[in-house]
Amino acid sequence: MSHQPASQDQPTSPLLRVRGLGVEIGGRAVVGGVSFDVTAGRTLAIVGESGSGKSMAALALMGLLPPGAAPSGSARLAGRPAEPEDELIGLAPARHRTLRGKRLAMIFQEPMTALNPVMTIGEQLGETFRLHAGLSARDSREAATAALASVAVPDPSARLDDYPHQFSGGMRQRVLIAMALAGSPSVLIADEPTTALDASLRAGVLELLSAQRTSRGLGVVLISHDLRLVAGHADQVLVMYAGHPVEAGPASAVLREPLHPYTGCLVGCLPDATTRGQRLATLTDLPAAERVRPVLGRTPWWPVASGPAEWLPVDTGRFVSVT
Amino acid sequence: MRNPAENHKLGVPAKAGLVVLGLAFILCIASLPFTLGSGPSGQPRYNEGELADARLPPVWAPVSPLQAARLNARVPEARLREIAESHGLTPEQASETTSGPCAVALRREWVRTAMGTDAQGRSLAVRVLLGGAVSLAVGVAAALLSVVIGTLYGALAGYAGGWLDGLLMRVVDVLYGLPYVLLVVLLAVAGDSLVNEWVTRQHERASWVSAQGNGAPASELREEALRRYPPRTLAGPSRRALDLATLLVAIGGVSWLSLSRVVRGQVMSLRQRPFVEAARAMGASPWRLFWRHLMPNLLGPVMVYATLTIPQAMLQESFLSFLGIGVPPPVPSWGSLAAEGLGEINPYESSWWLPAAPGLMLAATLLALNFVGEALRRRWVR
């Protein structure tokens, strides 16, 4: 397999440079060949169906893989001026823990259960500030109030003493975003942050993430199965299928003109105002490889197929895997 | 789904249980200065009594003609005659009377205690009060001990997982397999012999003697050893305190098994909860995860099992006291009082109040604890 950088046209050096990331569980590769760059102030979306290895890749970066799962490849997290660059794969657990929350943070899919039910919001937020910024109890409370205000939770100082069950799902996800940002990390991984939320709340949470990204210069990795939803909030897209990337490129280009049949299916499986009265695409409706061949000039590579894959550069910063 | 509001209401049994428990605790503990204080003869009140006052029935209890004759005979003769005359009876008639105003007047003369006296003439009321304090203290302390051991052990097993979990849980299985009375007796005996060794220092002397080689005659060596390692003395109260501590360790040491299993299961399910992963993603250390995120979530079930462990521990204490290896006499406990009292039941003249009073108190307290524990369980353990 030959891998080239997923994106080369970034003017600044990336915050996180992932090359050939793989995860093996019990000798079976569940993720392989994942490469991408995360740059400051930009969002990279990793898109794919359930089980496509998106979350596994994210957990490998966080050092939170379940026991028995072994990561491989390389992921270099750029250091801040005073700090060294860190290779995340194979990093000592103790060092990895000091990075988590402080330079690399993650928010999870389930806002309903990702907060400790017996601690108040203020305690949990304050704990993160005490942990990472070394603030005193009173200072951390003030910081927690400010953090809640920054994620647009109304009446933040009063809500600090509330317990998670007194918050709605959307508000909880905002709290979780505030917690993830409390250690002022440079890279934020959002693992399906809107999946468990009502459709009406999704845009709000994604807008909040975008706003925080631009104001803090965060590099965001947005993991989702909903290509349409994330495309509007992402600069780059990496499409994964069965543990392998199949297509990468600028979000608008990938959405407008999907090259890999699987990407086409992801785009086509969503209801659309312009395609009334048509049946939505499913995986079994995938266009035959032959139909894509004239466009690509090569056969698209399916991760389930044996044989090596190759990144075919299609356009500036745009790649698709071919046989 | 159940209505959440219903779970927060305490049922009638739980309310009654709380009242009984509160009364038992307040009465037994508030009366400690009195029961432990010294009476007219200089002995502590719980151990004070004259053989002449043995087996007096409670104030309110009906007595048989036989008992009446024995008890009325305790009234000084001059006083007996005086009372008999005022009721228009001869002294002989008066001493045999079991009911009526004359009997009441006579009873006022010999009745001393509300709950009667035991075989050594000690007030049963005082002994039941102190026995309650001892039983409750032993129950609570043993439950606390078992909560500490069981929670830490179970949490460690559940948190560590893997081979360590397997090893720790197999140890619990083995301990489960042994009859607990045997364990308690072994622990109590082992503790006792340790105390004994500390007091007599036999082992220290023997090892010193054997280290000296064969130079000097054995008798001289033994004397020298006795001079170097004289036996220690242990005052009565500290000896009793040590015996109590041994009992506590023995009961607490065997009652943590089920709690550790419960806690292990809880920790294993809590570990999978997203908030633990979220805390890890926040950079929390394992230590912090354990104490700040896992432990507070364990509090509910642990408290419930603790309330259910208290009656268990009290019952075990009573049982051991009943067998004679529990609380050292003359300190009473409900179990030992009941055991003593049971010996007073015979076909000739039964002092039924002796087993009845501590038995009823024990039963009421255990029931109350179980009702309260059950209510807590329904509310906290889902």
Side-chain angles (χ1 to χ4, degrees):
Chain A
M1 261 188 247
S2 73
H3 284 296
Q4 286 163 21
S7 46
Q8 297 157 319
D9 60 336
Q10 299 302 334
T12 51
S13 65
L15 292 171
L16 179 65
R17 183 187 288 267
V18 179
R19 291 293 174 271
L21 177 70
V23 178
E24 241 179 43
I25 297 179
R28 245 178 67 88
V30 293
V31 177
V34 177
S35 303
F36 57 83
D37 286 348
V38 180
T39 11
R42 298 293 182 91
T43 300
L44 169 91
I46 302 181
V47 185
E49 67 196 49
S50 303
S52 60
K54 328 178 286 280
S55 295
M56 272 294 160
L59 290 178
L61 295 177
M62 293 297 290
L64 292 175
L65 282 175
S72 60
S74 154
R76 301 199 74 84
L77 179 66
R80 293 192 184 138
E83 285 163 335
E85 189 184 59
D86 277 287
E87 170 59 57
L88 295 177
I89 306 303
L91 190 64
R95 171 73 186 155
H96 219 143
R97 200 180 71 229
T98 59
L99 294 183
R100 283 201 288 269
K102 209 166 191 168
R103 298 206 0 228
L104 184 63
M106 183 161 178
I107 52 179
F108 292 89
Q109 180 174 349
E110 267 293 338
M112 308 310 277
T113 51
L115 287 165
N116 189 336
V118 300
M119 283 168 82
T120 63
I121 298 296
E123 281 169 355
Q124 295 188 54
L125 255 173
E127 184 188 15
T128 323
F129 279 110
R130 278 206 297 280
L131 208 60
H132 294 301
L135 296 182
S136 69
R138 200 200 306 156
D139 287 349
S140 67
R141 197 180 158 86
E142 273 167 28
T145 317
L148 271 195
S150 76
V151 293
V153 170
D155 198 8
S157 57
R159 301 228 64 183
L160 277 186
D161 297 318
D162 283 352
Y163 283 89
H165 73 268
Q166 290 163 298
F167 275 66
S168 67
M171 283 296 147
R172 281 191 226 185
Q173 196 58 287
R174 285 165 190 275
V175 170
L176 284 169
I177 292 172
M179 273 177 77
L181 296 176
S184 49
S186 49
V187 174
L188 176 69
I189 302 174
D191 187 1
E192 309 230 7
T194 59
T195 307
L197 297 181
D198 287 351
S200 54
L201 295 169
R202 287 180 184 168
V205 167
L206 285 178
E207 268 155 31
L208 173 68
L209 269 180
S210 299
Q212 294 288 330
R213 181 196 68 197
T214 21
S215 67
R216 291 166 179 257
L218 269 178
V220 176
V221 179
L222 183 60
I223 296 175
S224 179
H225 60 253
D226 192 338
L227 182 54
R228 288 272 184 87
L229 184 76
V230 296
H233 293 271
D235 303 292
Q236 297 284 317
V237 172
L238 180 75
V239 181
M240 283 181 70
Y241 179 71
H244 292 263
V246 291
E247 187 166 354
S252 53
V254 172
L255 186 66
R256 195 178 55 244
E257 191 193 2
L259 287 176
H260 197 279
Y262 177 65
T263 316
C265 175
L266 277 185
V267 175
C269 74
L270 284 165
D272 190 319
T274 61
T275 54
R276 271 178 84 93
Q278 285 178 21
R279 223 164 57 81
L280 293 173
T282 64
L283 252 187
T284 49
D285 303 337
L286 280 176
E290 287 71 30
R291 276 201 269 154
V292 194
R293 204 198 306 256
V295 187
L296 291 175
R298 309 269 297 267
T299 315
W301 179 73
W302 284 93
V304 284
S306 55
E310 195 188 321
W311 275 115
L312 180 71
V314 184
D315 201 348
T316 328
R318 181 108 197 258
F319 299 85
V320 62
S321 64
V322 289
T323 328
Chain B
M1 235 178 96
R2 281 178 302 177
N3 175 12
E6 256 167 48
N7 298 338
H8 291 253
K9 275 188 213 146
L10 285 178
V12 177
K15 276 183 193 156
L18 276 179
V19 170
V20 169
L21 273 186
L23 275 179
F25 267 91
I26 290 167
L27 273 179
C28 291
I29 285 156
S31 66
L32 273 179
F34 175 76
T35 52
L36 288 174
S38 48
S41 70
Q43 283 264 38
R45 271 200 194 81
Y46 72 85
N47 198 23
E48 186 174 61
E50 288 167 29
L51 276 180
D53 296 335
R55 299 187 187 86
L56 296 179
V59 178
W60 38 266
V63 289
S64 66
L66 210 65
Q67 277 174 318
R70 179 172 80 81
L71 296 166
N72 289 346
R74 294 163 50 81
V75 181
E77 219 170 299
R79 184 88 185 109
L80 179 71
R81 191 166 297 132
E82 206 176 292
I83 291 170
E85 266 172 28
S86 67
H87 288 91
L89 296 168
T90 66
E92 289 73 28
Q93 281 174 316
S95 66
E96 276 163 27
T97 175
T98 56
S99 58
C102 178
V104 171
L106 280 172
R107 176 178 289 203
R108 279 207 198 96
E109 292 298 312
W110 50 257
V111 157
R112 293 259 176 75
T113 59
M115 265 155 102
T117 58
D118 69 1
Q120 290 169 57
R122 296 176 293 200
S123 161
L124 189 63
V126 170
R127 287 181 68 73
V128 164
L129 280 179
L130 181 64
V134 168
S135 281
L136 288 170
V138 167
V140 171
L144 274 181
L145 195 65
S146 83
V147 161
V148 170
I149 301 176
T151 307
L152 290 181
Y153 194 94
L156 179 66
Y159 194 70
W163 64 269
L164 187 60
D165 174 38
L167 180 74
L168 291 175
M169 282 301 116
R170 291 305 78 73
V171 169
V172 167
D173 289 345
V174 167
L175 288 178
Y176 248 123
L178 298 175
Y180 93 89
V181 179
L182 184 75
L183 274 179
V184 172
V185 170
L186 277 179
L187 276 172
V189 168
D192 208 51
S193 67
L194 273 181
V195 172
N196 226 34
E197 169 58 33
W198 187 84
V199 172
T200 61
R201 305 178 100 176
Q202 266 170 1
H203 192 75
E204 277 175 278
R205 279 202 295 277
S207 60
W208 183 82
V209 167
S210 63
Q212 298 308 306
N214 295 324
S219 59
E220 269 178 41
L221 270 181
R222 271 200 293 275
E223 264 174 42
E224 175 63 14
L226 203 62
R227 202 179 57 75
R228 278 172 185 252
Y229 303 101
R232 297 183 177 108
T233 51
L234 199 59
S238 28
R239 174 82 212 199
R240 277 201 285 278
L242 259 173
D243 282 350
L244 259 183
T246 316
L247 183 72
L248 271 183
V249 171
I251 296 175
V254 295
S255 49
W256 57 270
L257 297 174
S258 11
L259 187 71
S260 76
R261 279 191 174 170
V262 169
V263 167
R264 169 178 171 267
Q266 288 280 334
V267 168
M268 289 184 97
S269 80
L270 279 175
R271 260 177 66 194
Q272 308 295 324
R273 300 270 288 275
F275 71 83
V276 174
E277 198 179 24
R280 289 215 292 157
M282 229 89 280
S285 62
W287 186 252
R288 195 182 193 92
L289 266 184
F290 188 76
W291 287 108
R292 297 273 298 170
H293 293 279
L294 286 183
M295 275 309 193
N297 279 288
L298 283 176
L299 210 61
V302 166
M303 262 178 73
V304 170
Y305 280 89
T307 32
L308 293 174
T309 308
I310 296 175
Q312 218 185 337
M314 283 177 68
L315 210 58
Q316 281 172 2
E317 181 274 323
S318 299
F319 179 59
L320 291 176
S321 298
F322 195 87
L323 291 181
I325 46 178
V327 178
V331 177
S333 81
W334 281 344
S336 61
L337 283 176
E340 254 172 52
L342 217 54
E344 297 294 328
I345 300 289
N346 57 57
Y348 171 63
E349 191 187 321
S350 285
S351 311
W352 53 266
W353 58 91
L354 287 180
L360 283 176
M361 295 292 280
L362 187 61
T365 309
L366 296 186
L367 262 182
L369 275 166
N370 275 311
F371 281 146
V372 172
E374 183 60 27
L376 287 178
R377 195 185 63 74
R378 231 176 294 145
R379 183 165 165 179
W380 269 330
V381 181
R382 287 168 285 267

